Each structure stands twice: as C-alpha cells, then as structure tokens.
Amino acid sequence: MPRSRRSERRPYGAPYVPLDVERATGGRRAEAGPDGEWVVQQVRGSDREYRCPGCDQTVPAGIDHVVAWRTDTWRGDGLDERRHWHPACWQARTRRGPTRR
C-alpha cells in the first residue's frame, strides 16, 4: 500500500509561481511584418563583431543585440540565414531601404 505523503517540492498552501515564458523559450519570439515572418532573439554581447544589415555598421563585441532569421523563406534555410542587428535598426527595418554594398 503506497504512502499518502505530500510532495515536498512545493509546500501545501504555497503560492503558485507562473511560468516565465521568455526564460523558458530562451528569449525567442515570433514576429510577423510586411517583410515576412521572423524568429527574433535578444542576445548578450559575445566576443565577436558582427555586421548589422540595417545600417551596414559593425555590432561591437560585448554589445547586446538582436538575432533574427526568416521562417517563411521558400528555400527553408532559416538558421543559416540569421543576422545580427542593432536593436534600433531591427525596429526601423520596415522604414528603411536595404543597405548598399
């Protein structure tokens, strides 16, 4: 016969703590806009520089930034096409034209 002992993980009567969705998903979220559907993630700065496709300037090492990739491409390359953006450039991507190289 099993014991009828209560779990000690959350004491009886303790308040319920809601799930932090951002923490559970790693900070990833889906965004849809006139330029397509994207997966967007806020990341902390790394030890490497990246080139922002919004302004064609470098995202310096150690600076927090946004990583985004398309989810609706016909080729289905998703993660291979991810780009590192300045947060302001990501927010303004629909108001600006593409940068020229």
Short mmCIF file of all heavy atoms in Angstrom, two decimals, residues 21 61 92:
data_model
loop_
_atom_site.label_atom_id
_atom_site.label_comp_id
_atom_site.label_asym_id
_atom_site.label_seq_id
_atom_site.Cartn_x
_atom_site.Cartn_y
_atom_site.Cartn_z
N VAL A 21 7.62 32.74 -19.49
CA VAL A 21 7.66 32.25 -20.86
C VAL A 21 8.93 32.69 -21.57
O VAL A 21 9.54 31.91 -22.31
CB VAL A 21 6.41 32.71 -21.64
CG1 VAL A 21 6.48 32.29 -23.09
CG2 VAL A 21 5.16 32.17 -20.98
N ALA A 61 31.88 43.85 -30.30
CA ALA A 61 31.91 42.73 -29.36
C ALA A 61 31.48 43.23 -27.98
O ALA A 61 31.83 44.33 -27.56
CB ALA A 61 33.32 42.15 -29.30
N ALA A 92 13.58 49.63 -36.89
CA ALA A 92 13.36 50.54 -38.03
C ALA A 92 13.48 49.85 -39.38
O ALA A 92 13.47 50.51 -40.41
CB ALA A 92 14.38 51.68 -37.95
#
